[in-house]
Amino acid sequence: MIVTIDGPAGAGKSSISRQVAEQLGFEFLDTGAMYRAVAWAVLRQNRELTDASAVAEVAQRLRIDLSGGKVLVDGEDATAEIRTPEVTQATRYAASNVEVRAHLVELQQQFGREKNLVTEGRDQGTVVFPHAECKIYLTASPEERARRRVADLAARGVPAEFDDILAQQNRRDEEDSSREVGPLRKADDAVELCTDGMTPDEVIQRLIEIVEARK
Ligand code: C5P
């Protein structure tokens, strides 16, 4: 069984999807980490982010290993570094690259073969697994997402202004949904869940109910 969870940045998808997978006893795939890993490697190899064929070449040669809860890129642990603001900014060059997307989509489809899988991203229900048994579109209002992000950063000792975070997030939303390849879009047959006012545990329980109903 394939469960896809798509939605905008900051909807809490990653940690929630991981816990849903764990509770169901399913494998978990964080596809955002794959786009981040490509951007991280381009920066690491001093290649030009704006050179689309260089970015595609880096992606083709890369070994990305997401098993074991870490992000290993060509054997190197990049788990923390792929989440830095620099890599987050650079990731759009990987995400908007047609060849990179084709390559990563294929890897994701291979990963999902003959498995029970919860996969999380932007295009999982629309492009990667159009025949998934259960599709979820997870959202929250822009303000709620920005509030959560500010609280998250504060908990890690990083001060952040709400207005700055909201502006950055709006930019990412716009880039994500206006991309020509693999844009963020709710699949027609996805169940939409807006998580405003819900605790993470409530969201996880609701998602498990949705999956159980489709089994
Ligand atoms: O989900 P996360 O924030 O880690 O994703 C990082 C970036 O990768 C996002 O801004 C998004 O544009 C891109 N992405 C994508 N397709 C996916 C998952 C993520 O284009 N399936």
Side-chain angles (χ1 to χ4, degrees):
M1 180 180 193
I2 304 274
V3 178
T4 62
I5 304 183
D6 293 304
K13 283 194 316 289
S14 286
S15 58
I16 282 170
S17 306
R18 194 180 292 277
Q19 290 179 65
V20 168
E22 205 169 284
Q23 288 199 27
L24 289 166
F26 283 21
E27 299 259 359
F28 173 65
L29 184 60
D30 172 1
T31 61
M34 300 173 83
Y35 289 94
R36 289 172 180 274
V38 171
W40 177 84
V42 171
L43 292 170
R44 180 78 164 195
Q45 295 173 23
N46 285 317
R47 305 294 295 269
E48 278 300 324
L49 283 167
T50 51
D51 180 347
S53 49
V55 175
E57 192 188 308
V58 170
Q60 298 281 355
R61 293 190 177 162
L62 222 52
R63 271 184 308 113
I64 305 171
D65 180 1
L66 300 176
S67 59
K70 290 202 161 158
V71 181
L72 299 182
V73 185
D74 283 340
E76 212 177 319
D77 187 350
T79 315
E81 283 182 23
I82 62 161
R83 310 269 165 211
T84 60
E86 188 194 9
V87 175
T88 301
Q89 277 287 328
T91 300
R92 69 187 162 101
Y93 294 98
S96 60
N97 187 302
V98 183
E99 287 176 74
V100 172
R101 291 205 83 87
H103 179 59
L104 295 187
V105 165
E106 202 180 312
L107 293 182
Q108 291 158 16
Q109 288 170 337
Q110 270 170 24
F111 188 85
R113 212 152 280 155
E114 291 166 25
K115 275 198 188 97
N116 287 320
L117 177 71
V118 173
T119 179
E120 177 252 309
R122 305 291 188 284
D123 58 349
Q124 299 302 290
T126 51
V127 175
V128 185
F129 297 106
H131 305 298
E133 287 83 357
C134 180
K135 299 182 185 180
I136 289 154
Y137 191 76
L138 203 62
T139 61
S141 66
E143 292 73 19
E144 170 106 10
R145 289 189 279 133
R147 255 195 309 277
R148 288 180 191 161
R149 178 89 183 123
V150 171
D152 235 39
L153 288 167
R156 286 190 271 145
V158 183
E161 285 291 329
F162 175 83
D163 289 348
D164 295 343
I165 296 290
L166 185 62
Q168 281 169 23
Q169 185 184 276
N170 286 341
R171 228 178 2 253
R172 272 229 280 166
D173 283 357
E174 170 60 25
E175 274 169 20
D176 265 355
S177 43
S178 62
R179 190 168 46 227
E180 278 180 34
V181 279
L184 171 64
R185 193 169 62 71
K186 175 185 166 296
D188 294 336
D189 51 350
V191 178
E192 181 164 350
L193 180 63
C194 174
T195 65
D196 280 20
M198 293 174 80
T199 65
D201 276 348
E202 286 168 348
V203 178
I204 292 164
Q205 285 325 307
R206 180 75 195 104
L207 292 182
I208 287 177
E209 281 167 24
I210 294 170
V211 176
E212 295 289 355
R214 305 262 160 150
K215 266 187 177 170

